[in-house]
Structures are given as C-alpha cells and as structure tokens.
C-alpha cells in the first residue's frame, strides 16, 4: 500500500455550546438577591492547521469522525462556562478542504495557518441578561446552541518548484532519481509511478529546489481516463512545468501538443505557467538526430536534451530550471 494519500473524507462535529445559568443570589444579608447566572461557554471548533513536516494525508486515512468538546454551562456569580476544547486536524501545506456541496472552505498555504472548518455552538446567555423592570428575578436562561456538523473532504495538491509532465515511460522517475535522493520505482511499463514523488534537487552554491515526479498523462486524462484528475490537480501547484518527451517518441512535437492540450482541457490557467520542453533519453541520439528533433519545435519552444542514465545535459537542465524560477 502506498504511503502517499492525497484524498480523505472525514465526518466533523464541533462542540455544543454550554447552557446559560438561571442561578439566583442566595446570600444571608441580601434578602432580595437577583439573577446571578453566567453565560455558557462556546463549544469547541474543528480546525484545519498547516504542518510543514507532513507531506501526505496518510495519518488521516483511517480517521472517520472528529468531534470537539462541548462548552461548559454557566455558573453562579455570573461566571462564564469554559470553552470546549478545539480539535486540530493537521494537514500538509497545499491541502484544500471542501464541504459536502464541493465548495471550498479554505486552503492551507503556509506552516501554522489555521482555518475553522466547523464552528462551535454559541453558549447560552445566563438569566442576568433577561432581567427587566417587570421581571426582576428571571428564573430561566438560554440553552446552548448546537455546533456545526458535516463531512469535510481534504484534497492535497503537491507544492513543488517544478513538476514533471509527460506520458508514462517518458523518463520522469529516472530524472528525479538522477538529480535528487528520491528513490521512485522505475520499470519499463506504463504507470510505474502511481503516486507523486518529491525530491530535493541540489544546485550550485548549496542552493536547491523541489521537483515533483507526477504520474504519467495519457490522452483523455482531463476527462478522467487513466489516473485522470488525481494527478492533474497536483500539476496546478507547481511553479513551473517541465515537459518530458522521450527520444524514442514517434512524433516529438505532436506528443508535446497532446500533453499541452490535456492541461488546457483540465484547467486553461495551467498554460499560463512558465514551462521548459525537454527530450529525455538523449543517450539514444546522435547530434544529427538532435538537430532533426529540435527542428520540429518552434523557436520559442526549443527542447533541452538530457539523459538521466548517463547524466548528459543534466547540469544545463538544472540551470534552465533555476533561471526560470529566479530569472
């Protein structure tokens, strides 16, 4: 079973508000003591909190229900009841929470960020609030309000500097393993990568950037074919996109256009991102073949050639990525 989980659904319930108190003063030297009841405490919230040390929703996979504490009832001497304890659901940066109607409640973009998913019920007011000229000693108080309840869906979109885009067997996993310490599964069959992999790529002068190996696209992915939307949503959060076209492709530029079209069909805004076109497995090519392939592409989309196996062109590729990220 994969340890990368990017989708979970949890039933959440915030705390019920505490009831107000209807206490009346009963003191020896105050024969006509009036209302003395305090307000009930607010019920606990259910809160989503960003945690930079988490990178998957796996810890939440078997969490079916989350319930916050009830607020305490108000007390005498107009004491307000204690608030119910809030419940925190820690999630990776890049997590989006949606309600049962599919509407976005909020998204976590930084470590420590908090978003209330379900608000705790308000505490009821004590009888002190209901005192009037015609009712000096109200013997009633307000009950606490119910907390919110419902299902919340959590979706994780990988945050990375550069996302690898290509068909299965384009060489994405080989590239990631060549330039980082990540060890993705590599094999000669489609969809070797079933879940995203992240790697820290070392660059010049102790600099670095994050690269994401995303499951391969197939034609029709925007309509849900193959792994469909599951991987396309991860591409949304990458700063730049690196298109990988394998050297042994039958039509390099056409393959690029298919990939580009799948992104456009899913979300046209993806084409506004900066991108780099590359040809992987270039150890299979001689200089003449490289020129022929480059001639297939327009001037503004000239590909970079590299080989994750031999290391050819990797430094030039990292230079181009760094320039795009910080140029």
């Amino acid at each position: 079973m994969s340890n990368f989980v990017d989708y979970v659904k949890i039933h959440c319930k915030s705390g019920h508000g505490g009831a107000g108190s209807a206490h009346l003063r009963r003191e020896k030297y105050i024969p006509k003591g009036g209302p003395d009841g305090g307000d009930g405490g607010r019920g606990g919230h259910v809160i989503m909190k960003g945690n930079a040390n988490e990178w998957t929703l796996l810890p939440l996979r078997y969490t079916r229900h989350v319930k916050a504490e009830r607020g305490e009832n108000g007390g005498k001497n107009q004491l307000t009841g204690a608030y119910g304890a809030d419940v925190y659901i820690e999630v990776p940066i890049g997590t989006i929470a949606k309600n049962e109607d599919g509407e976005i409640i909020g998204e976590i973009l930084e470590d420590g960020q908090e978003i209330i998913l379900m608000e705790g019920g308000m505490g009821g007011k004590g009888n002190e609030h209901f005192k009037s000229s015609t009712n000096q000693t109200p013997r009633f108080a307000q009950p606490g309000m119910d907390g919110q309840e419902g299902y919340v869906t959590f979706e994780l979109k990988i945050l990375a500097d550069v996302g690898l885009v290509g068909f299965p067997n384009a060489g994405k996993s080989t590239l990631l393993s060549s330039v980082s310490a990540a060890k993705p599964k590599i094999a000669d069959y489609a969809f070797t990568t079933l879940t995203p992999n992240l790697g820290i790529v070392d660059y010049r002068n102790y600099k670095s950037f994050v690269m994401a190996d995303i499951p391969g696209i197939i034609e029709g992915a925007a309509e849900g074919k193959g792994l469909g939307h599951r991987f396309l949503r991860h591409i949304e959060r990458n700063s730049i996109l690196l298109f990988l076209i394998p050297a042994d492709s039958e039509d390099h530029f056409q393959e690029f256009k298919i990939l580009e079209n799948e992104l456009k069909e899913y979300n046209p805004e993806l084409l506004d991102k900066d991108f780099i076109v590359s040809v992987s497995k270039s150890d299979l090519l001689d200089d003449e073949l490289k020129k022929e392939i480059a001639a297939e592409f327009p001037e503004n989309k000239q590909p970079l050639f590299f080989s994750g196996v031999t290391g050819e062109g990797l430094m030039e590729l990292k230079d181009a990525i760094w320039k795009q990220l910080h140029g």
Side-chain angles (χ1 to χ4, degrees), residues 186-234:
I186 300 171
D188 190 23
Y189 56 85
F191 295 117
T192 304
T193 302
L194 296 177
T195 58
N197 292 295
L198 290 178
I200 307 297
V201 180
D202 291 328
Y203 188 60
R204 304 175 191 272
N205 301 320
Y206 305 103
K207 298 184 178 74
S208 64
F209 55 86
V210 179
M211 180 178 285
D213 168 23
I214 297 161
I217 295 177
I218 67 167
E219 199 166 1
E223 299 169 3
K225 294 181 181 178
L227 299 179
H229 291 175
R230 179 177 176 184
F231 74 82
L232 281 170
R233 71 166 172 260
H234 293 300

Side-chain angles (χ1 to χ4, degrees), residues 173 176-178 180-184 197-200:
S173 297
L176 187 67
S177 64
S178 299
S180 75
K183 301 300 179 188
N197 292 295
L198 290 178
I200 307 297

Side-chain angles (χ1 to χ4, degrees), residues 93-297:
I93 297 172
T95 300
I96 291 177
K98 296 181 179 180
N99 64 19
E100 294 177 79
D101 296 323
E103 299 169 338
I104 294 177
I105 302 172
E107 54 185 318
I108 296 295
L109 297 175
E110 56 186 45
D111 185 44
Q113 179 185 353
E114 296 182 6
I115 295 173
I116 296 175
L117 303 175
M118 299 283 172
E119 291 190 356
M122 291 179 58
K125 294 185 180 299
N127 60 352
E128 169 67 20
H129 293 276
F130 303 103
K131 179 180 178 181
S132 68
S133 59
T134 58
N135 187 0
Q136 294 290 318
T137 56
R139 287 175 165 78
F140 59 87
Q142 190 180 47
M145 304 288 286
D146 288 335
Q148 295 181 321
E149 180 178 3
Y151 282 93
V152 177
T153 298
F154 298 89
E155 292 182 4
L156 173 60
K157 295 183 179 181
I158 288 292
L159 282 168
D161 295 309
V162 55
L164 307 183
V165 180
F167 284 106
N169 285 349
K172 301 184 298 298
S173 297
T174 301
L175 171 61
L176 187 67
S177 64
S178 299
V179 297
S180 75
K183 301 300 179 188
K185 183 179 180 181
I186 300 171
D188 190 23
Y189 56 85
F191 295 117
T192 304
T193 302
L194 296 177
T195 58
N197 292 295
L198 290 178
I200 307 297
V201 180
D202 291 328
Y203 188 60
R204 304 175 191 272
N205 301 320
Y206 305 103
K207 298 184 178 74
S208 64
F209 55 86
V210 179
M211 180 178 285
D213 168 23
I214 297 161
I217 295 177
I218 67 167
E219 199 166 1
E223 299 169 3
K225 294 181 181 178
L227 299 179
H229 291 175
R230 179 177 176 184
F231 74 82
L232 281 170
R233 71 166 172 260
H234 293 300
I235 295 173
E236 290 184 285
R237 286 289 178 81
N238 296 296
S239 299
I240 68 171
L241 303 178
L242 176 61
F243 288 85
L244 273 71
I245 315 297
D248 52 3
S249 170
E250 293 183 4
D251 190 328
H252 302 85
F253 185 63
Q254 180 60 25
E255 187 164 322
F256 166 73
K257 294 301 292 181
I258 292 172
L259 292 170
E260 191 177 46
N261 185 64
E262 289 304 322
L263 300 188
K264 179 182 178 181
E265 290 293 319
Y266 176 69
N267 182 354
E269 293 181 6
L270 290 176
L271 299 186
D272 294 333
K273 290 181 178 288
D274 291 332
F275 64 87
I276 297 170
V277 182
S278 68
V279 174
S280 61
K281 308 179 184 180
S282 64
D283 53 296
L284 302 176
L285 306 172
D286 57 25
D287 291 341
E288 186 175 342
L289 284 172
K290 289 179 183 176
K291 289 180 181 178
E292 290 180 10
I293 293 172
E296 298 175 20
F297 290 81

